[in-house]
Amino acid sequence: MGGTQDRFNGDTRVLHQRAVRTPLPDAEAERLFHENMMTIADAQERKAELLADPDVPLLVAYEEEVDRIAESFEGRLRRVAGDNYGEAAIAYHLGERDDRVGAIAAYYLEALWRLQQQATVTDMVFSPLILRYPDSFTVNVRFAGEYADPDSVRYESPEHSSEELAEEYLETYYAESQYSQRQAAAFHREAAAILRDQFPDPDEVPFEERKYGGIVSAGSRRGSTFSAMLKPVEPDRDRFSEPVAETTLVGAGAEARRTERALRFGGEIIR
């Protein structure tokens, strides 16, 4: 996929005030959705494990998490647009096609392209909103300049720091950074538990207990300080009046506006 990304320069218009709605028509689709969400839960647990290890640089933990999320996005891209999803997205971006598949490919590739910049770009918030309804689920990817949430965990990465500290302060700085990363590890374990609770195994949990669920998360880096949050979200039960037969783009929804207000997004908001 690297070659595709090298040629993809981004198109924020495809994300603005939009979400992808995917049908859940049968047991196989339910299992696939569950597996995708468990990939993200596993990524949270793996990140917790790495953050708790003082010998692992924070960047390694971050990059592994991004790789797991990217795996989920790429799986959705292939199911909608096939192995040539990159070409479909670029053709849509260039105005060479204007169809449902091209738009969805462009949506997910734009999200993936921006997500993978986060390791090197500061002051960019990645905030996905994932909601489960009885017959479908939606993925709404938002990016913003900043956010404010009192429950966010913040942790320090010495390898990202540009400050030159005096020798007598270095030991304290590194000790405090390690402590903040252990706090973050505890958060990511809790985040994994929320994901497993909101999107349970369809082979183990009755339909009535799993037909609604949702999470919102946000993560960013400002200099050497990283932040993250993940919370459950109650879907709007009256949002969709009609069933959906194929994956399609829909409006962002009231839940998106509600979570944006709660997170107090600042700067440019792309949703």
Side-chain angles (χ1 to χ4, degrees):
M1 178 178 164
T4 297
Q5 282 183 285
D6 290 342
R7 298 191 305 272
F8 190 78
N9 297 317
D11 181 2
T12 61
R13 292 170 299 173
V14 75
L15 296 179
H16 185 62
Q17 296 185 347
R18 289 177 168 181
V20 178
R21 184 185 182 194
T22 301
L24 293 170
D26 51 36
E28 182 180 355
E30 288 253 16
R31 292 189 190 102
L32 188 58
F33 171 62
H34 174 69
E35 289 169 8
N36 265 304
M37 298 314 301
M38 293 309 96
T39 293
I40 298 174
D42 291 344
Q44 296 290 318
E45 290 176 341
R46 175 61 174 162
K47 187 172 184 181
E49 178 184 335
L50 294 173
L51 285 172
D53 187 338
D55 296 325
V56 176
L58 187 150
L59 188 58
V60 172
Y62 177 83
E63 288 179 341
E64 281 208 19
E65 179 189 30
V66 169
D67 287 345
R68 295 287 186 96
I69 297 172
E71 177 186 333
S72 175
F73 278 17
E74 287 178 0
R76 289 175 183 153
L77 276 163
R78 287 192 174 91
R79 281 188 291 278
V80 173
D83 290 338
N84 295 325
Y85 61 79
E87 285 77 2
I90 291 170
Y92 184 87
H93 172 60
L94 296 174
E96 296 171 358
R97 61 186 291 175
D98 184 17
D99 61 293
R100 178 185 64 86
V101 171
I104 294 168
Y107 187 99
Y108 275 127
L109 195 60
E110 170 71 21
L112 184 57
W113 181 74
R114 283 177 168 265
L115 170 63
Q116 292 177 326
Q117 293 181 74
Q118 270 202 300
T120 55
V121 177
T122 189
D123 300 340
M124 181 172 71
V125 179
F126 169 58
S127 181
L129 172 64
I130 304 173
L131 301 168
R132 162 69 201 263
Y133 302 91
D135 67 341
S136 59
F137 70 93
T138 61
V139 176
N140 182 0
V141 180
R142 294 89 57 87
F143 292 90
E146 60 184 7
Y147 78 103
D149 181 86
D151 300 321
S152 292
V153 62
R154 288 175 172 76
Y155 48 107
E156 187 73 11
S157 173
E159 59 264 33
H160 287 87
S161 177
S162 59
E163 290 191 32
E164 294 185 8
L165 297 177
E167 189 69 30
E168 61 266 29
Y169 298 117
L170 280 176
E171 186 175 345
T172 299
Y173 173 62
Y174 276 91
E176 290 177 348
S177 296
Q178 290 296 327
Y179 175 77
S180 71
Q181 290 180 28
R182 290 194 297 273
Q183 295 290 101
F187 158 80
H188 285 289
R189 284 190 287 269
E190 293 173 3
I194 292 172
L195 282 158
R196 297 186 190 284
D197 178 65
Q198 289 295 311
F199 308 108
D201 190 334
D203 293 324
E204 297 179 0
V205 176
F207 177 73
E208 288 300 316
E209 297 177 23
R210 69 173 193 272
K211 65 181 182 179
Y212 290 103
I215 62 97
V216 62
S217 68
S220 69
R221 176 171 75 88
R222 186 177 293 274
S224 60
T225 302
F226 286 70
S227 66
M229 62 78 63
L230 188 148
K231 293 179 179 179
V233 174
E234 178 65 28
D236 179 359
R237 302 195 175 205
D238 298 321
R239 179 175 180 184
F240 297 115
S241 58
E242 298 293 335
V244 62
E246 55 189 4
T247 302
T248 188
L249 289 177
V250 296
E255 301 98 330
R257 294 186 292 274
R258 190 170 72 244
T259 54
E260 285 167 14
R261 287 194 299 270
L263 291 172
R264 287 183 285 171
F265 281 165
E268 179 187 15
I269 299 173
I270 301 164
R271 50 190 174 192

